[in-house]
Amino acid sequence: MAVLAANTQTSAMEQLRAYHELSKHRFEGYAPGPETLDWDDQPNVFRSFDGAPRIALPLPDDRADAADAGILFSGQLEPRALTPASLSEFLRYAAGLTAWKAFGPDRWSLRANPSSGNLHPGEIYLLLPASSHWAAGVYHYDVLNHCLEQRLELSADSVTGLSLVLTSVLQREAWKYGERSLRYCLLDSGHQLAQCQASAALQGWTFELAGSDRDVLATICGIDRPEYQGVEAEHPELLLKLTDSVMDIAKLAEECRASGDWKGTPSRLGPRPLQRWRECEAMAGQFDTQMSAQLVSVPSEMAEFANAELNARQTVLQRRSAQGYDNNRRLKCEEFSALLRPLMPGLSRMQLEPVGVHLLLFVHNVEELEPGLYLMPRSESGDALLRSVCTRWPALQEVYPAPELRLLKLKTANTRKAAAQLCCNQMIAASSAVTLMMLAEFDAPLQHQGLTAYQQLYREAGMLGQNLYLASSALGLNGTGIGCFFDDGVHQLLGIEDQSLQVVYGFAAGEGLKDERVSGMSGYHHLREVADA
Ligand SMILES: Cc1cc2nc3c(=O)[nH]c(=O)nc-3n(C[C@H](O)[C@H](O)[C@H](O)COP(=O)(O)O)c2cc1C
């Protein structure tokens, strides 16, 4: 039996490694994906459940006073009771609509969380304890209408605290990104996890990761049910529960499985795809939902966010991915360290421990820092690994842009062109003030923890990306996640010859050029108009 298990695991790992290689973009050719896109076929970014009872949530007053932006990263506010008002605020700042863009006849929405290609693969299910406002049960968050859809009523004693199940619709990403799409789902779920934790902090709440098998998670949010046949599948990503809440997940799953009273039918998101991307589908089907890493717990005292221009709510609402940067804008040294500070281990609630992801920086335009290539190890063992594996420039020099912020300088150079080339010729990587590439410890965690490690590394990178988005927004600056890069090109640049480190994500930051497509419409203008009528 043990031998069989080992073999199964080995072949899953071989499959994973093959998937990783297949989904790399290379100078010679991109990862397999559609050659043309029919925009009319794009899967709907909003799922809803026809026939499910709906619970409206009061729209929060976005103009209300808010805590300093520092609370998004660390510190503890007085916990608020779970009411329609607090739940509404939590969901709005975790995953709600924040703005609309318009170009010609087209309009599309933006959310608190960013998403590769704005395709938003993620869905959120809630397990709510009974209250005078709702029955205990399983609910789906309808993002467009900012309301809850009740999927299942549960007995009052089965849910004692708020929990969330995050899922992904791979098809939404696969439509545009083909085989690479699974990586984007993982990065997106990392962003979403981080943003849930940041938004929870505004309510004085903290989530923790509650590991559970994928079958169990699928059962408690109902995505394994027959009504999903014929619509785009969702796969479970994560379970989050409020810290200190007790959850008997096996009992809950049993009740969900046994109940014949699930309500509503999931909407179809688009036409049947013409092309299937079988490797990423097969991998997604094998991933489990256990995490060996944990969310960092931060000190309860809040540190004000240095140089912040925006408060916590504004930081979330005004976070935008820049599509172009002012390459003349030099970051002040304090801005640069405020941007990187939330990436330092233990300094942000939007981090995982143990640390598995380190940074390569293309510094383009930062006061008191020579332009060039720098490394930022995020752990002692990571420092040793980077030094031993990044062999191209062995003469490392330590530099301290801020007393606690240590970088390893590899080379002084103008790296704008190289950064853009490595990021699939995207100019944002060149015109930013700084572009970062995230290097994940790869071989060792994969050997020790198998598929779990792969998911975890991408999620950790997504979470670091969310720190960078929020930090740049708080500073009145912009960021842009970069999922499109030539993987092995980055490895070659550093002289990485084996797979002990792999690049998993990138990020550009600086002062974004004004995006004329951002309309003046607020995220929920459509609901406010109805409420005001
Ligand atoms: C995982 C991930 C990868 C991304 N990759 C790119 C990229 O390669 N190039 C780019 O211009 N934007 C990229 N983005 C930014 C998205 O296009 C952006 O988040 C989306 O359009 C929504 O806009 P918003 O961030 O302003 O809400 C990425 C975002 C994420 C989360």
Side-chain angles (χ1 to χ4, degrees):
M1 207 48 205
V3 174
L4 184 63
N7 283 344
T8 316
Q9 186 63 9
T10 310
S11 78
M13 281 311 297
E14 280 167 4
Q15 199 179 342
L16 178 70
R17 284 183 180 275
Y19 169 72
H20 186 66
E21 289 303 310
L22 176 79
S23 59
K24 281 181 173 174
H25 289 327
R26 298 169 195 280
F27 292 124
E28 324 71 271
Y30 287 88
E35 288 185 359
T36 55
L37 288 179
D38 182 348
W39 290 93
D40 290 336
D41 283 356
Q42 183 193 334
N44 194 337
V45 290
F46 301 114
R47 170 157 268 169
S48 60
F49 287 83
D50 302 339
R54 300 180 139 219
I55 298 177
L57 295 170
L59 270 181
D61 178 2
D62 292 333
R63 295 157 304 178
D65 283 346
D68 182 272
I71 192 62
L72 299 167
F73 303 91
S74 69
Q76 172 72 51
L77 297 180
E78 190 61 34
R80 290 179 70 192
L82 182 64
T83 63
S86 60
L87 183 61
S88 170
E89 281 197 20
F90 164 68
L91 288 169
R92 195 227 183 315
Y93 294 103
L97 302 187
T98 52
W100 290 76
K101 282 190 180 175
F103 187 69
D106 299 323
R107 288 197 324 162
W108 62 100
S109 56
L110 304 177
R111 304 189 191 185
N113 55 312
S115 170
S116 29
N118 205 23
L119 301 171
H120 288 284
E123 296 289 337
I124 297 185
Y125 295 85
L126 298 93
L127 297 167
L128 283 179
S131 81
S132 55
H133 308 283
W134 48 65
V138 181
Y139 294 81
H140 171 250
Y141 177 44
D142 174 340
V143 181
L144 179 60
N145 298 301
H146 189 60
C147 69
L148 301 176
E149 297 174 302
Q150 191 194 54
R151 290 281 285 131
L152 180 65
E153 186 173 331
L154 291 163
S155 56
D157 62 350
S158 4
V159 193
T160 51
L162 169 67
S163 297
L164 307 176
V165 182
L166 309 187
T167 69
S168 288
V169 181
L170 180 65
Q171 183 49 42
R172 286 195 181 122
E173 292 287 320
W175 167 76
K176 183 169 179 194
Y177 296 119
E179 294 291 10
R180 200 166 163 100
S181 55
L182 185 58
R183 295 182 180 208
Y184 292 126
C185 286
L186 292 171
L187 290 168
D188 267 41
S189 79
H191 278 280
Q192 182 68 89
L193 164 60
Q195 192 54 31
C196 282
Q197 195 67 324
S199 181
L202 293 175
Q203 305 305 317
W205 306 341
T206 309
F207 283 109
E208 63 187 34
L209 288 161
S212 191
D213 291 343
R214 71 176 278 141
D215 295 352
V216 174
L217 279 201
T219 300
I220 62 173
C221 62
I223 56 174
D224 58 352
R225 296 191 42 82
E227 55 266 24
Y228 277 81
Q229 269 170 22
V231 303
E232 298 79 0
E234 294 177 32
H235 65 261
E237 294 275 3
L238 298 167
L239 173 64
L240 290 172
K241 74 174 186 65
L242 282 184
T243 310
D244 298 332
S245 67
V246 184
M247 190 178 191
D248 185 343
I249 188 143
K251 183 165 164 270
L252 186 68
E254 196 41 55
E255 190 177 343
C256 292
R257 197 174 296 117
S259 175
D261 204 19
W262 285 80
K263 301 179 179 87
T265 342
S267 52
R268 233 207 114 70
L269 305 175
R272 245 161 256 290
L274 295 174
Q275 263 173 307
R276 299 283 296 272
W277 303 101
R278 299 200 182 275
E279 302 306 323
C280 64
E281 279 180 24
M283 251 4 280
Q286 294 206 41
F287 278 169
D288 64 29
T289 49
Q290 302 277 5
M291 297 263 286
S292 59
Q294 281 306 322
L295 285 161
V296 162
S297 50
V298 286
S300 55
E301 256 164 57
M302 190 181 93
E304 279 196 359
F305 194 91
N307 286 63
E309 292 205 352
L310 304 180
N311 69 30
R313 283 178 198 242
Q314 294 164 334
T315 295
V316 175
L317 294 176
Q318 293 183 32
R319 181 207 62 77
R320 302 268 175 280
S321 292
Q323 304 292 302
Y325 286 92
D326 173 0
N327 60 5
N328 292 316
R329 171 65 156 85
R330 172 164 292 211
L331 286 196
K332 295 195 196 90
C333 205
E334 311 87 76
E335 289 174 317
F336 179 72
S337 37
L339 182 72
L340 295 189
R341 196 169 184 278
L343 307 185
M344 292 165 62
L347 293 194
S348 164
R349 62 180 89 252
M350 293 173 278
Q351 289 182 10
L352 293 178
E353 56 187 3
V355 163
V357 176
H358 311 280
L359 302 154
L360 164 68
L361 282 72
F362 295 83
V363 172
H364 299 321
N365 205 355
V366 178
E367 244 174 29
E368 296 173 36
L369 207 55
E370 284 185 309
L373 286 178
Y374 296 77
L375 292 170
M376 178 174 159
R378 297 185 56 249
S379 67
E380 266 179 44
S381 54
D383 185 303
L385 183 64
L386 287 166
R387 286 173 192 270
S388 71
V389 175
C390 302
T391 49
R392 179 135 175 227
W393 292 288
L396 301 177
Q397 184 197 340
E398 293 191 357
V399 289
Y400 287 84
E404 73 287 18
L405 179 62
R406 185 175 64 103
L407 303 180
L408 303 177
K409 183 157 139 196
L410 295 176
K411 186 171 171 58
T412 305
N414 179 339
T415 55
R416 288 190 190 269
K417 200 169 155 196
Q421 275 172 348
L422 290 169
C423 293
C424 301
N425 302 309
Q426 298 188 77
M427 284 312 291
I428 47 171
S431 53
S432 61
V434 55
T435 290
L436 302 94
M437 301 306 297
M438 301 188 199
L439 300 167
E441 296 176 21
F442 200 75
D443 258 342
L446 256 59
Q447 266 164 24
H448 290 125
Q449 295 156 35
L451 306 188
T452 306
Y454 191 79
Q455 294 158 262
Q456 213 154 275
L457 292 170
Y458 276 90
R459 292 208 186 102
E460 183 179 354
M463 294 179 77
L464 297 182
Q466 195 62 15
N467 280 284
L468 289 164
Y469 264 122
L470 292 178
S472 47
S473 180
L475 291 163
L477 300 169
N478 292 92
T480 316
I482 300 184
C484 189
F485 48 81
F486 297 117
D487 302 61
D488 287 339
V490 177
H491 305 144
Q492 281 153 18
L493 174 78
L494 294 173
I496 299 173
E497 285 176 358
D498 59 13
Q499 292 220 332
S500 46
L501 286 170
Q502 292 282 282
V503 58
V504 287
Y505 195 22
F507 199 90
E511 185 160 322
L513 301 180
K514 187 168 169 26
D515 187 342
E516 300 295 344
R517 300 168 308 168
V518 179
S519 73
M521 288 178 287
S522 71
Y524 287 111
H525 67 96
H526 51 298
L527 300 186
R528 290 195 199 275
E529 281 158 17
V530 173
D532 294 345

